[in-house]
Amino acid sequence: MSFEVNFDGLIGPNHNYSGLAFGNLASSRNAKNTSSPKQAALQGLEKMRTLLKLGYKQGFMLPQERPDLSVLREIGFEGDDAQILKAVSEQAPHLLSMVYSASSMWAANAATVTPSNDSADGKVHFTPANLLTTSHRAIEHKQTQRCLEAIFNDKDAFTVHAALPSITRFADEGAANHTRLCKDYESQGVGLFVYGRDDNTDLNELRFPARQTLDASASIARQHTLPGERAVYLQQSAVAINAGAFHNDVVAVGNGPVLFYHQDAYEVPSQEAAFAKLDKLVEGFTAIEVPREKVSLDDAITSYLFNSQLLASPDGSMNELRIVAPTECRDNDNVRRYLEELAQDTSQPIRHVEFVDVRQSMSNGGGPACLRLRVALSEEEIAKVNPAFLLDDAKIDALKSVVEKHYREELNPEDLFDPAFITECQQALNALTEVMGIAPFYDFQRS
């Protein structure tokens, strides 16, 4: 048996609204607002518990070490932590929010994953995303690689690659622009790689950056030994990018043989060619198009309809799929009506809709699907995953206790200038690793 295991990014004690991501409209709207790290982390843990209760296998990824003062040292700041903080606050305060960013919580951007059923060498492959389009995310991939190597530490079963070169041609945003489609988890699948730009893209037509390149997607397919005919490339539409769909997972989500997408998600010629290939390669391929007349692109983006998790049944069956959507979808009349109609439509397999409250994450620009990295694994491969990162109720309770003790109820932008907050974040991260039995993990724990 094979299953999809969701590894959610555990939200860190530094969760703040800095509005750093140009093109992410929710992030921009809430820039400089007061955040609640405690509420954010508890909401994320409750989502993980919800999936566990429904019978799904659930893992997690640790928050990254923040602030990442190593970045500031690399660009010329010297001294101990407090001295560096003081110098940055006086000379370049705009850099502080970059090294304090909590964006690694969105694990869908952590990496691209190819299961062993698809790779030519029979191993599960991971490539951390270089995320070079935004400076606060471009600093993540080294810590992401370390985390993935800790979780998937059996080199006979798993290969964790380094990120692609940090060159504009190879801009990569991870699984947010990649969907694995297959008859079922036992079958060989197809990697659907969605990109925003290639050599023929007129960048003058784009209001916001096209973050994923065709060259990056093709490079990952090669790295992962994915046979050429099993990689399908599809271009995201300029209309979607300009409306604020900075990743494909803002306008589409797929699982098994089903691709659920907005009518305006893709460039039409590219869509026709890609769907023709998917019809041949994926048995039972089902494309569910959400018409703009029922759900406008604006409604889709503001509610994050497509940033929902699309799940098979807990046993892996594709006959009854479940959407786990943010509560913002329930609160949007057009989206709620559409989902109610969809669940009653027996011509397609989506039968259940669950709503989860991840408002703190949503306010920073990421929904339920952003918070998780999907990994299709056989039972034998699950047994080779570092068990510290696989969750049950007791582990969630343990993580919750750390959050309740060490995370702030409120965090204001000016709090990042307080040297004591560095110590506070380290104490929280130290407690998380200790309670899960995986310390030392962070650089500060080794120094």
Side-chain angles (χ1 to χ4, degrees):
M1 289 285 290
S2 294
F3 302 89
E4 181 181 83
V5 185
N6 287 282
F7 288 84
D8 279 40
L10 180 61
I11 297 171
N14 55 305
H15 169 69
N16 69 95
Y17 298 144
S18 293
L20 297 173
F22 179 61
N24 184 327
L25 302 184
S27 174
S28 299
R29 279 195 301 269
N30 292 288
K32 309 306 179 185
N33 285 352
T34 298
S35 63
S36 175
K38 180 180 291 186
Q39 188 178 9
L42 293 178
Q43 288 172 354
L45 286 168
E46 189 57 33
K47 180 176 87 74
M48 298 182 219
R49 196 191 299 273
T50 296
L51 265 65
L52 271 178
K53 288 180 178 178
L54 290 170
Y56 296 98
K57 300 182 187 301
Q58 181 69 52
F60 81 105
M61 298 177 69
L62 282 165
Q64 294 200 359
E65 182 176 340
R66 293 292 183 272
D68 188 350
L69 297 183
S70 67
V71 175
L72 298 179
R73 290 188 168 95
E74 288 175 5
I75 58 175
F77 291 97
E78 298 178 342
D80 60 24
D81 292 353
Q83 289 171 327
I84 287 177
L85 192 66
K86 183 175 185 295
V88 172
S89 65
E90 293 172 349
Q91 300 172 31
H94 60 285
L95 296 179
L96 192 59
S97 57
M98 177 185 76
V99 298
Y100 253 121
S101 171
S103 54
S104 68
M105 62 195 255
W106 294 311
N109 300 120
T112 304
V113 184
T114 296
S116 57
N117 282 350
D118 302 351
S119 64
D121 64 1
K123 296 171 72 173
V124 186
H125 288 258
F126 303 82
T127 297
N130 58 32
L131 297 167
L132 60 82
T133 305
T134 52
S135 59
H136 66 291
R137 302 222 64 178
I139 67 175
E140 292 176 15
H141 63 85
K142 290 181 181 179
Q143 289 194 50
T144 298
Q145 183 177 346
R146 181 191 300 174
C147 186
L148 291 171
E149 288 172 341
I151 299 171
F152 304 100
N153 55 3
D154 188 320
K155 294 185 179 180
D156 292 331
F158 311 116
T159 297
V160 178
H161 301 270
L164 296 180
S166 293
I167 300 169
T168 303
R169 177 174 285 276
F170 301 108
D172 172 34
E173 298 278 319
N177 292 310
H178 172 262
T179 304
R180 187 208 183 207
L181 296 171
C182 54
K183 175 188 175 185
D184 52 49
Y185 296 137
E186 304 295 319
S187 304
Q188 186 179 26
V190 172
L192 177 63
F193 294 87
V194 176
Y195 63 96
R197 59 183 167 92
D198 60 13
D199 287 342
N200 298 315
T201 303
D202 184 356
L203 300 182
N204 292 320
E205 293 183 355
L206 298 179
R207 176 187 175 199
F208 298 124
R211 298 191 185 185
Q212 185 80 24
T213 68
L214 176 59
D215 279 329
S217 297
S219 298
I220 290 169
R222 283 192 298 270
Q223 268 192 347
H224 291 194
T225 70
L226 186 66
E229 71 275 8
R230 311 302 295 186
V232 176
Y233 303 98
L234 176 56
Q235 186 167 15
Q236 188 175 6
S237 74
V239 170
I241 294 171
N242 289 340
F246 50 97
H247 292 139
N248 177 62
D249 66 3
V250 181
V251 286
V253 61
N255 201 347
V258 175
L259 181 65
F260 181 59
Y261 68 101
H262 193 271
Q263 182 178 356
D264 294 319
Y266 306 117
E267 296 292 350
V268 174
S270 180
Q271 177 178 314
E272 291 174 348
F275 283 18
K277 292 179 182 178
L278 293 170
D279 276 327
K280 294 178 181 178
L281 294 169
V282 179
E283 183 176 340
F285 173 62
T286 303
I288 302 175
E289 181 179 275
V290 179
R292 66 177 75 93
E293 288 77 13
K294 290 192 174 183
V295 178
S296 69
L297 192 54
D298 181 63
D299 278 342
I301 291 171
T302 55
S303 70
Y304 267 33
L305 166 61
F306 296 97
N307 204 251
S308 301
Q309 291 179 249
L310 182 61
L311 303 171
S313 298
D315 63 0
S317 170
M318 301 295 175
N319 295 323
E320 288 197 12
L321 301 185
R322 171 180 277 107
I323 284 180
V324 177
T327 50
E328 283 79 358
C329 288
R330 183 189 61 199
D331 298 339
N332 183 299
D333 291 341
N334 293 331
V335 174
R336 184 186 67 253
R337 276 195 297 269
Y338 176 81
L339 288 172
E340 290 170 351
E341 294 173 7
L342 183 71
Q344 298 300 316
D345 178 6
T346 57
S347 68
Q348 55 79 40
I350 299 175
R351 299 266 66 82
H352 308 285
V353 179
E354 310 277 341
F355 295 105
V356 292
D357 181 0
V358 288
R359 292 185 187 276
Q360 283 287 316
S361 175
M362 286 285 290
S363 294
N364 218 3
C370 275
L371 286 164
R372 58 89 180 101
L373 181 68
R374 302 188 292 179
V375 187
L377 298 168
S378 67
E379 289 180 298
E380 293 79 9
E381 289 163 346
I382 292 173
K384 295 178 180 179
V385 173
N386 186 335
F389 294 91
L390 294 173
L391 293 174
D392 54 26
D393 271 328
K395 288 182 180 178
I396 291 179
D397 286 341
L399 292 170
K400 182 179 178 180
S401 68
V402 173
V403 169
E404 290 177 332
K405 180 178 180 180
H406 290 279
Y407 282 43
R408 288 191 181 190
E409 192 66 56
E410 291 188 346
L411 183 64
N412 296 303
E414 57 268 23
D415 294 335
L416 305 184
F417 292 91
D418 181 2
F421 188 54
I422 299 177
T423 303
E424 193 176 314
C425 288
Q426 291 179 346
Q427 288 173 340
L429 297 178
N430 192 59
L432 289 172
T433 57
E434 287 186 347
V435 78
M436 303 308 287
I438 49 181
F441 180 84
Y442 297 104
D443 285 341
F444 75 86
Q445 293 175 315
R446 298 185 175 97
S447 61

